[in-house]
Amino acid sequence: MCLFASAVARADGDAVGRADRLFKEGRHAAEQHDYARACHLFEDSFRLDPGVGTLINLGDCAEHLGDLEHAYGYYRTAYARMSESDDRAPHLRDRIDNIEQHAAKLAIHLEPGSPQGTVVTVDGAVVAMHEAPLHLAKGSHVVLVTAVGYRGMRYNVDLGDGEIRLIHVTPGVPLEEELPTSLGPQPPPPRASSTWTRPLGITTMGLGVAGMWIGSLAGLMAIDRRDVQRANCDAGNACTPAGLDAARDGSTWATVSTATFIAGGALLALGAAFFVVSLTSHPKAITAALGPGSFVLRGSFE
């Protein structure tokens, strides 16, 4: 039991020590006018050691940031925890009264019929509807009211120094009331075949034309080589070196010409088939046949 008590006391002492360091860092940040960081440091310190002095400093940095509602709450909590003989009490009472006199007050009333779970935020901070009016700095404020399944509403509120305002809010109409119950006559869906067959057909026909053009050029080269061969070979096929080279090159060009011309014709026929399919809604059957110097497209469509 004694060992346990000692461990608890040591742990508590460590927490108080960390809280004191955080408090001092918060005071230093506040002196540098870095009130946002000061508030975070004071909050961490307060979680470790919830002292009255930390509450007062939390209120001070919140007030400097214009968050009068939190400043008012921190001051009132600290004042309630003070003894009557605390020399900080009169000054703290003055700060509370100053907020009461000069802060704008905004009361928010949630309209009946709003769904359970409706969330109301003021300048991004969630507020509870059962609380007293909010103490806000003068100027513009944004109230957002949201609920699951509802459109949501935004209210822009401009408040003057010491002004008191009551607003009635709602999360808006249910989303199902804003959705159309009927979409009405719809245009026919795009033909599935045309979404890909048309560009594919055009591309394939382009490749086919290119293939046939290459085949034609290769054919011309083969004819040229044949003429050179004839000029350099006799009737018994005895050829000069130039004639032998021409014969060899002519054979190669003839092979290239035949192959590319056939491939180009096939691609041209296939591309035309795809293009025709893209113009129909429901092709039933289509075939393409390549003949000597021509191609034939056969098919039936709905």
Side-chain angles (χ1 to χ4, degrees), residues 48 51 63 89 101 123 133 160 170 175 183 192 221 231 240 264:
L48 295 170
E63 187 173 1
Q101 294 172 12
D123 299 331
T170 171
L175 290 176
L183 297 178
M221 290 298 298
T240 65

Side-chain angles (χ1 to χ4, degrees), residues 167-253:
I167 62 172
H168 298 266
V169 301
T170 171
V173 299
L175 290 176
E176 62 183 12
E177 294 183 9
E178 293 196 337
L179 294 175
T181 56
S182 174
L183 297 178
Q186 297 297 304
R191 292 191 294 265
S193 60
S194 65
T195 59
W196 62 273
T197 52
R198 181 171 299 180
L200 179 60
I202 294 173
T203 301
T204 305
M205 285 192 293
L207 293 174
V209 171
M212 296 184 72
W213 178 71
I214 293 172
S216 299
L217 290 179
L220 292 174
M221 290 298 298
I223 293 172
D224 176 73
R225 294 292 87 191
R226 185 188 60 187
D227 292 340
V228 173
Q229 178 188 357
R230 287 176 177 175
N232 290 275
C233 298
D234 58 20
N237 288 328
C239 302
T240 65
L244 291 174
D245 290 341
R248 184 173 55 252
D249 293 343
S251 177
T252 301
W253 282 113

Side-chain angles (χ1 to χ4, degrees), residues 1 30 53 65 147 185 187 222 290:
M1 179 65 69
L65 291 173
L290 180 66

Side-chain angles (χ1 to χ4, degrees), residues 13-280:
D14 291 342
V16 171
R18 290 197 301 274
D20 183 61
R21 288 194 297 273
L22 289 167
F23 180 84
K24 290 178 180 178
E25 290 178 16
R27 288 294 305 156
H28 179 72
E31 290 169 0
Q32 300 298 316
H33 306 291
D34 188 355
Y35 295 107
R37 182 169 182 269
C39 278
H40 288 304
L41 290 168
F42 288 139
E43 287 170 357
D44 292 340
S45 176
F46 188 78
R47 278 192 289 269
L48 295 170
D49 183 20
V52 171
T54 309
L55 277 173
I56 296 173
N57 281 273
L58 274 169
D60 179 74
C61 68
E63 187 173 1
H64 276 93
L65 291 173
D67 187 357
L68 299 186
E69 178 63 19
H70 279 99
Y72 183 75
Y74 289 136
Y75 289 154
R76 282 176 57 87
T77 302
Y79 188 80
R81 290 176 55 182
M82 284 181 176
S83 64
E84 295 181 0
S85 59
D86 196 314
D87 57 2
R88 296 171 296 182
H91 177 66
L92 189 56
R93 183 69 255 177
D94 289 342
R95 301 192 74 165
I96 294 172
D97 291 342
N98 183 66
I99 293 177
E100 282 282 8
Q101 294 172 12
H102 298 288
K105 298 179 181 65
L106 178 66
I108 302 174
H109 175 74
L110 190 60
E111 292 285 10
S114 298
Q116 186 175 5
T118 297
V119 177
V120 179
T121 64
V122 177
D123 299 331
V126 178
V127 298
M129 291 299 92
H130 62 273
E131 293 182 353
L134 302 173
H135 295 77
L136 301 175
K138 67 177 181 179
S140 299
H141 301 273
V142 176
V143 179
L144 295 179
V145 187
T146 57
V148 176
Y150 286 72
R151 186 184 67 178
M153 293 292 289
R154 173 191 175 111
Y155 301 86
N156 297 314
V157 183
D158 292 321
L159 298 173
D161 195 16
E163 181 180 356
I164 300 175
R165 180 88 62 86
L166 168 66
I167 62 172
H168 298 266
V169 301
T170 171
V173 299
L175 290 176
E176 62 183 12
E177 294 183 9
E178 293 196 337
L179 294 175
T181 56
S182 174
L183 297 178
Q186 297 297 304
R191 292 191 294 265
S193 60
S194 65
T195 59
W196 62 273
T197 52
R198 181 171 299 180
L200 179 60
I202 294 173
T203 301
T204 305
M205 285 192 293
L207 293 174
V209 171
M212 296 184 72
W213 178 71
I214 293 172
S216 299
L217 290 179
L220 292 174
M221 290 298 298
I223 293 172
D224 176 73
R225 294 292 87 191
R226 185 188 60 187
D227 292 340
V228 173
Q229 178 188 357
R230 287 176 177 175
N232 290 275
C233 298
D234 58 20
N237 288 328
C239 302
T240 65
L244 291 174
D245 290 341
R248 184 173 55 252
D249 293 343
S251 177
T252 301
W253 282 113
T255 301
V256 171
S257 175
T258 302
T260 54
F261 198 90
I262 291 174
L267 289 171
L268 186 60
L270 183 60
F274 281 131
F275 188 79
V276 172
V277 168
S278 71
L279 300 177
T280 65

